[in-house]
Amino acid sequence: MEATMQGKQQPEVKKFKTIPILVSLLLAGFIGMFSETALNVALSDLMNILQITASTAQWLTTAYLLTLGILVPISGMLLQWFTTRQLFVAAVSFSIVGTFIAAMAPSFEILLLARVVQAMGTALLLPLMFNTILVIIPPEKRGGAMGLIGLVIMVAPAIGPTIAGLLISNLTWHWIFWLSLPFLAMSLISGILFMQNVSEVTKPKIDVLSIILSSAGFGGIVFGFSSAGEEGGWGSTKVIAAIAIGVIALVLFVIRQLTMKQPMINLRAFKYPMFTVAVLMIFICMMIILSAMLILPMYLQQGQGYSAFKAGLLLLPGGIINGLMSPIMGRLFDKYGPKWLVIPGLVVVAVSLWFFSSITATSTVIFVIVLHSALMIGISMIMMPAQTNGINQLPLEYYPHGTAIMNTLQQVAGAIGTALAVSIMTSSTKSYMETVTDTTNPLNALAAFTHGVQNAFVFGMVMAVIGLIVAFFIKRVVVQHKTQAPMH
């Protein structure tokens, strides 16, 4: 019976205008990721222009992550309540409004508001992009399609700092946002013309308590870890209280989801072992990549005295290589499965971070470019194959839940990874300074900062080794079901 149904459904799959749908989604996703990282390079300029401290400027990134942490878990439910077209138009509209406000922003408060509106767009777009691709692309070609997403998601953050550095040195930081607007408008027009409704709207019952617990849980943890970089550190009441509230709310959220007939996020997805392994891999990868992406530019600017533009240029080759490798890894995954990519990838990442842990003020440009490129190649071998393999094991009705779980935990991993790396760096710097006699000597301050950066990379290497142990449990998933066409 099932085989007959699949036979009937197969011709309908061709009705999807796959290329225009992909172009609309990837263009919007590219600009979303670009504006997220491009602003990081502008933070030191913004501190001077807007007369704000580093801990205040950090909120432009933290507020973005916090909004994603709160909204992405709800995305699984939204995918079942609204059509693909409605969600896409809403997501890109939020991005356009947020980007326009940021481009016009006269003060820090307005810019912060703009970042929250932008993040609302990204929070809707990311799960929608993954879910749509899972529905319209057959499982045997899915690795290549996910590789294309990897290309977009990794190249955008890579070129963001370089383009931002150019814009800041020639124009003003507002142009980071003015540059994004035409591309977002193109994406919206393309989506209105070509986007199709790919998933069934079932309108499950909205559970308000689940939304409150999810927002308090993920929001509390992201806020707590992000605030640890501020004055007071891990011992401050704000950090301890936020993390404690987050953990308690998450425990209650998990219990509620497992006891509901129609949960907001179906955590039974974790019954599938390869999905669980994939979630662990992605969590570890996001911790490594986001902490490295924060520590490395900071070191290039403060430790080696490079300008924002030059620091961005040094990180450009690695980001581009990573983006170009993603589709290749996708095709290799379709052919050979995940194990022969993920395990060597983690070895490459661990070795790169081990070399990075010996970085000094005299480390050459070539040393940085080669190691950063190796790190990025390793990451491309892990992320997409593990993610696709994990999602492939889920039944079709779990796709919105699986993508919501993965996207939410990526944001949480990013917040935790960057917070731990920064706190390791600052505490190591501080403890080194306590051992020197002349604290006013700039050479001692540089040595202390270098020591802190080295220890932050050691933390990344330890995470990679943990990931390597988990990777030995990964097995190739044989997909039992076919991709469905939407029901009309």
Side-chain angles (χ1 to χ4, degrees):
M1 176 78 180
E2 197 182 330
T4 320
M5 281 179 70
Q6 285 172 358
K8 282 180 186 172
Q9 284 170 347
Q10 272 319 89
E12 284 193 65
V13 175
K14 291 172 187 167
K15 288 187 180 176
F16 288 128
K17 299 187 190 84
T18 312
I19 302 297
I21 291 174
L22 278 178
V23 168
S24 308
L25 288 166
L26 294 176
L27 187 58
F30 181 87
I31 296 300
M33 298 306 292
F34 165 79
S35 58
E36 186 179 346
T37 56
L39 200 65
N40 289 351
V41 168
L43 288 183
S44 48
D45 281 86
L46 287 168
M47 282 159 60
N48 295 329
I49 297 161
L50 302 173
Q51 298 293 296
I52 51 173
T53 62
S55 56
T56 307
Q58 183 195 308
W59 275 100
L60 293 170
T61 304
T62 304
Y64 199 95
L65 277 176
L66 193 58
T67 308
L68 291 177
I70 291 169
L71 287 180
V72 172
I74 304 166
S75 67
M77 183 190 69
L78 292 175
L79 284 163
Q80 295 168 76
W81 258 88
F82 299 99
T83 66
T84 314
R85 278 175 67 87
Q86 287 170 334
L87 282 175
F88 180 79
V89 170
V92 181
S93 299
F94 273 123
S95 296
I96 288 173
V97 171
T99 304
F100 181 72
I101 296 170
M104 300 285 285
S107 65
F108 171 75
E109 290 76 17
I110 304 290
L111 185 57
L112 188 64
L113 169 71
R115 294 294 283 163
V116 170
V117 177
Q118 273 188 315
M120 287 162 78
T122 308
L124 288 174
L125 186 75
L126 287 179
L128 180 71
M129 180 160 69
F130 282 104
N131 191 65
T132 304
I133 283 171
L134 288 171
V135 175
I136 67 173
I137 305 285
E140 66 277 6
K141 293 182 182 169
R142 206 171 274 162
M146 294 294 262
L148 204 59
I149 292 187
L151 174 82
V152 167
I153 284 177
M154 293 317 304
V155 169
I159 65 169
T162 314
I163 293 174
L166 256 179
L167 292 171
I168 291 162
S169 54
N170 294 296
L171 297 158
T172 67
W173 60 267
H174 294 90
W175 282 91
I176 293 169
F177 301 104
W178 286 123
L179 185 70
S180 303
L181 275 174
F183 294 101
L184 285 171
M186 281 160 57
S187 172
L188 182 61
I189 293 161
S190 173
I192 289 167
L193 292 174
F194 302 111
M195 188 58 67
Q196 292 166 274
N197 298 323
V198 303
S199 48
E200 192 186 348
V201 176
T202 54
K203 298 205 172 180
K205 186 173 172 285
I206 294 174
D207 182 50
V208 178
L209 185 56
S210 287
I211 293 173
I212 293 167
L213 288 173
S214 157
S215 302
F218 292 113
I221 287 172
V222 171
F223 178 81
F225 274 94
S226 299
S227 302
E230 294 178 22
E231 206 64 45
W234 295 98
S236 77
T237 316
K238 182 168 75 172
V239 171
I240 294 165
I243 293 173
I245 290 166
V247 170
I248 293 163
L250 264 191
V251 170
L252 294 171
F253 174 73
V254 169
I255 293 166
R256 184 159 182 82
Q257 298 313 293
L258 293 174
T259 52
M260 286 172 73
K261 265 188 180 174
Q262 278 194 314
M264 186 176 93
I265 291 187
N266 198 334
L267 298 175
R268 289 177 187 86
F270 284 106
K271 283 195 307 187
Y272 297 88
M274 287 310 104
F275 176 76
T276 306
V277 168
V279 167
L280 284 169
M281 293 274 94
I282 286 161
F283 197 87
I284 288 166
C285 262
M286 288 305 285
M287 283 180 77
I288 291 170
I289 197 164
L290 285 179
S291 57
M293 286 301 87
L294 186 78
I295 299 294
L296 199 52
M298 205 181 282
Y299 186 71
L300 291 172
Q301 288 180 61
Q302 293 177 33
Q304 297 207 334
Y306 292 138
S307 65
F309 178 52
K310 189 166 182 186
L313 267 182
L314 288 182
L315 301 179
L316 186 60
I320 289 174
I321 288 168
N322 177 283
L324 296 174
M325 289 298 286
S326 287
I328 297 167
M329 293 303 160
R331 287 196 290 275
L332 289 174
F333 166 80
D334 286 337
K335 200 168 180 183
Y336 302 109
K339 186 167 257 184
W340 303 112
L341 295 171
V342 173
I343 293 172
L346 278 154
V347 171
V348 170
V349 168
V351 170
S352 303
L353 289 165
W354 180 69
F355 276 111
F356 261 134
S357 69
S358 65
I359 196 169
T360 65
T362 56
S363 294
T364 62
V365 165
I366 297 297
F367 177 82
V368 172
I369 291 173
V370 168
L371 279 188
H372 179 244
S373 300
L375 178 67
M376 287 303 188
I377 290 168
I379 292 286
S380 74
M381 293 170 79
I382 307 159
M383 284 280 282
M384 191 285 311
Q387 190 169 14
T388 312
N389 195 60
I391 289 280
N392 277 350
Q393 199 177 25
L394 298 181
L396 280 165
E397 64 273 15
Y398 278 54
Y399 281 177
H401 303 284
T403 52
I405 290 167
M406 280 188 173
N407 282 295
T408 302
L409 291 177
Q410 280 189 34
Q411 311 313 322
V412 176
I416 293 173
T418 49
L420 287 173
V422 168
S423 63
I424 288 167
M425 184 182 78
T426 49
S427 60
S428 300
T429 304
K430 195 177 170 187
S431 61
Y432 185 94
M433 284 305 280
E434 285 166 4
T435 63
V436 300
T437 47
D438 184 8
T439 53
T440 56
N441 188 335
L443 287 175
N444 285 336
L446 179 61
F449 179 63
T450 305
H451 178 67
V453 168
Q454 289 171 345
N455 282 352
F457 283 122
V458 170
F459 155 72
M461 186 187 72
V462 170
M463 293 310 301
V465 171
I466 294 168
L468 184 59
I469 295 163
V470 175
F472 282 102
F473 294 94
I474 205 164
K475 290 190 181 82
R476 184 171 196 165
V477 170
V478 179
V479 184
Q480 300 298 331
H481 54 76
K482 300 284 183 193
T483 307
Q484 284 190 33
M487 292 174 73
H488 298 290

